[in-house]
Amino acid sequence: MPSLIKMKDGRAITPPDPEIPFIAGDGIGPEIWLAARRVFDAAVAACGKKRRVAWLESFAGQAALKARGHTLPGETLDVIRSHAVAIKGPIGTPVGSGFTSVNVALRKIFDLYACVRPQKWIPGVPAPVPDPSKIDFVLFRENLEDVYAGIEWSSKSAEAGYVRNFLRTEFHIDLPDDSGIGIKPMSEAITKRFVRRALRFALDRRRRSVTFVHKGNIMKFTEGAFRTWGYEVGRMEFGKRTVTEGEVREGASAKGKVVLKDRIADAMFQEVILKPGEHDVIVCPNLNGDYLSDACAALVGGLGMAPGANIGDQAAIFEATHGTAPDIAGKDLGNPSGLILSGAMMFEFLGWEDVAARIRGAVEGTVLAGTVTGDLARGRKDVTQVGTQKFGELVAAGAGKA
Ligand code: NAI
């Protein structure tokens, strides 16, 4: 019988034979999962006979809707709850319908407050900037608040009418009668818990700096407060090991410390392109993080290469940054690297750094050898384009090498 992973203080306690649930997902999900699983099994097997992973299939999204009549069945939630760590493929959310996002629901139910998305360039991957080797970001996106809190009413709803009326009578704020209404909550406790995790990560991994990204010039009491609370955590809880960019400018030493800085979101989009070497760990509210992480993923080769994790104190779910890619689903065209590298993050989280290193090394080796999926080939003559499964086989062979 395989054993269960436990979480203590936000960290995993991993038995040698964990059972890990997976959700293959919608669109290209089942294809990339098949390729990724092969890689994970090869890497674990190559790291010694004492460790083994038993994969447990769980359902969410369209497959669950067909089989169980619900996109997020209770039994899937029970499995994630009891197993603490899971890995998933993408799940679709139709735009503008009444369909609630399964991804957003999972983050809320399991209190997965930090979305972590590393963006590091792999040699051989085509990139749109002259020197992508300078890009080595780890982007932390707050996962529960901001406009993702789901407080939104359509322009014709009674609720929107009520809120418009309330604003008119109580605050003399006149909104057009055909306005839809959305609310953007950002709270001190949830922001600080999130920033604390990002700062701990930066300190544990000896990263150089942490940049808070906000639009506080316009949204002073949400995004502006995010910046203020970020610096407060840095000063009050990690004061001996952090220094602000302003203090460094005035002559303070940054030696052995993490430098805290902040940037307005629009300027940050320019800086990650023009001055990528100036940023390291990037800490964003939910919506900024959503936009910026896709833009940063493009700088290192596109969505197909971008891994991610949603982490809380009781559970963690690992998944690629990209969506279901409906335009290429079922055609053996998807790049499984995002999911494969999410698996590497998962094994690192479990404390199996050797497995993670094998997986990363094998992806790098395969790409460097000039074998890539269509999203990276882009008509180039110096590479060989292969399908999803062939790419998975090659990476698995690399990960399993003695
Ligand atoms: P998308 O990421 O699915 O696709 C955007 C573009 O990138 C498409 O041209 C697609 O072919 C390409 N692409 C994405 N992943 C790729 C891969 N692994 N290899 C090669 N090319 C890849 O974003 P889109 O079209 O906005 O969303 C489609 C659906 O996915 C929506 O229903 C959305 O809600 C959902 N979605 C789910 C996510 C999740 O489960 N975590 C995250 C993002 C979107």
Side-chain angles (χ1 to χ4, degrees):
M1 276 285 282
S3 313
L4 294 182
I5 297 162
K6 300 266 177 255
M7 291 274 279
K8 192 163 184 274
D9 303 327
R11 292 176 200 266
I13 303 168
T14 312
D17 58 344
E19 181 170 69
I20 302 179
F22 72 91
I23 298 166
D26 300 330
I28 58 168
E31 299 163 65
I32 57 172
W33 167 253
L34 199 64
R37 176 180 174 159
R38 195 175 280 149
V39 175
F40 303 154
D41 287 339
V44 171
C47 283
K49 289 207 171 84
K50 288 200 179 122
R51 283 178 288 173
R52 206 157 39 91
V53 172
W55 301 105
L56 175 66
E57 178 150 32
S58 286
F59 295 95
Q62 291 308 309
L65 188 63
K66 262 194 215 134
R68 308 277 194 276
H70 197 290
T71 52
L72 189 51
E75 64 195 71
T76 299
L77 298 178
D78 291 343
V79 163
I80 297 174
R81 199 166 287 120
S82 57
H83 288 69
V85 170
I87 185 161
K88 69 176 268 296
I91 293 173
T93 313
V95 176
S97 75
F99 188 99
T100 318
S101 164
V102 167
N103 303 306
V104 173
L106 282 172
R107 290 167 201 163
K108 283 193 181 146
I109 292 166
F110 293 107
D111 196 25
L112 305 174
Y113 59 87
C115 173
V116 186
R117 292 179 168 172
Q119 290 107 12
K120 189 172 191 311
W121 179 67
I122 291 180
V125 172
V129 282
D131 186 4
S133 68
K134 288 216 169 69
I135 300 171
D136 182 6
F137 306 138
V138 180
L139 190 144
F140 278 70
R141 166 187 172 193
E142 196 285 315
N143 232 2
L144 301 175
E145 295 200 292
D146 200 346
V147 290
Y148 283 75
I151 311 168
E152 213 190 7
W153 300 288
S154 84
S155 59
K156 293 189 174 63
S157 67
E159 290 88 343
Y162 183 86
V163 174
R164 286 193 302 262
N165 231 355
F166 175 80
L167 292 174
R168 198 167 290 142
T169 49
E170 297 295 323
F171 297 116
H172 309 293
I173 296 170
D174 246 328
L175 295 180
D177 281 335
D178 55 356
S179 308
I181 307 267
I183 291 186
K184 176 185 174 80
M186 284 166 75
S187 67
E188 181 170 350
I190 290 181
T191 301
K192 285 189 166 173
R193 176 177 65 160
F194 162 70
V195 169
R196 195 170 294 126
R197 183 173 270 278
L199 285 178
R200 274 207 197 110
F201 172 90
L203 290 163
D204 285 354
R205 307 292 169 96
R206 299 181 185 285
R207 305 291 297 212
R208 289 171 294 120
S209 68
V210 168
T211 308
F212 302 116
V213 180
H214 60 92
K215 191 75 186 159
N217 51 334
I218 304 297
M219 292 167 272
K220 298 181 197 309
F221 307 117
T222 48
E223 305 244 341
F226 181 90
R227 167 187 178 276
T228 306
W229 293 327
Y231 278 116
E232 274 176 17
V233 174
R235 195 176 56 242
M236 317 274 279
E237 300 179 30
F238 303 96
K240 289 208 174 98
R241 302 173 67 196
T242 61
V243 61
T244 65
E245 188 180 38
E247 288 165 343
V248 172
R249 249 190 244 120
E250 283 165 15
S253 166
K255 198 161 174 244
K257 295 189 174 180
V258 169
V259 178
L260 305 181
K261 36 183 137 177
D262 74 279
R263 294 290 183 274
I264 291 183
D266 40 317
M268 187 65 178
F269 272 83
Q270 172 167 283
E271 291 203 7
V272 293
I273 296 167
L274 297 182
K275 304 182 202 166
E278 288 196 7
H279 298 286
D280 186 340
V281 175
I282 300 174
V283 177
C284 306
N286 209 334
L287 186 63
N288 294 339
D290 191 13
Y291 295 157
L292 191 60
S293 61
D294 275 25
C296 291
L299 298 180
V300 293
L303 278 175
M305 296 302 295
N310 297 295
I311 302 179
D313 291 336
Q314 306 301 329
I317 301 180
F318 294 79
E319 63 176 341
T321 296
H322 64 76
T324 58
D327 50 335
I328 55 169
K331 298 179 181 163
D332 195 39
L333 283 173
N335 184 349
S337 300
L339 187 60
I340 293 172
L341 295 170
S342 303
M345 287 177 78
M346 179 182 75
F347 285 113
E348 199 166 61
F349 185 79
L350 297 180
W352 293 10
E353 279 88 0
D354 50 347
V355 176
R358 271 189 174 270
I359 294 171
R360 289 199 182 105
V363 172
E364 286 179 23
T366 307
V367 173
L368 205 56
T371 336
V372 293
T373 44
D375 56 322
L376 300 188
R378 299 178 198 163
R380 285 160 63 201
K381 298 224 161 28
D382 58 332
V383 294
T384 309
Q385 180 175 335
V386 293
T388 310
Q389 298 316 319
K390 182 70 191 169
F391 186 81
E393 270 168 36
L394 292 168
V395 178
K401 242 188 220 150

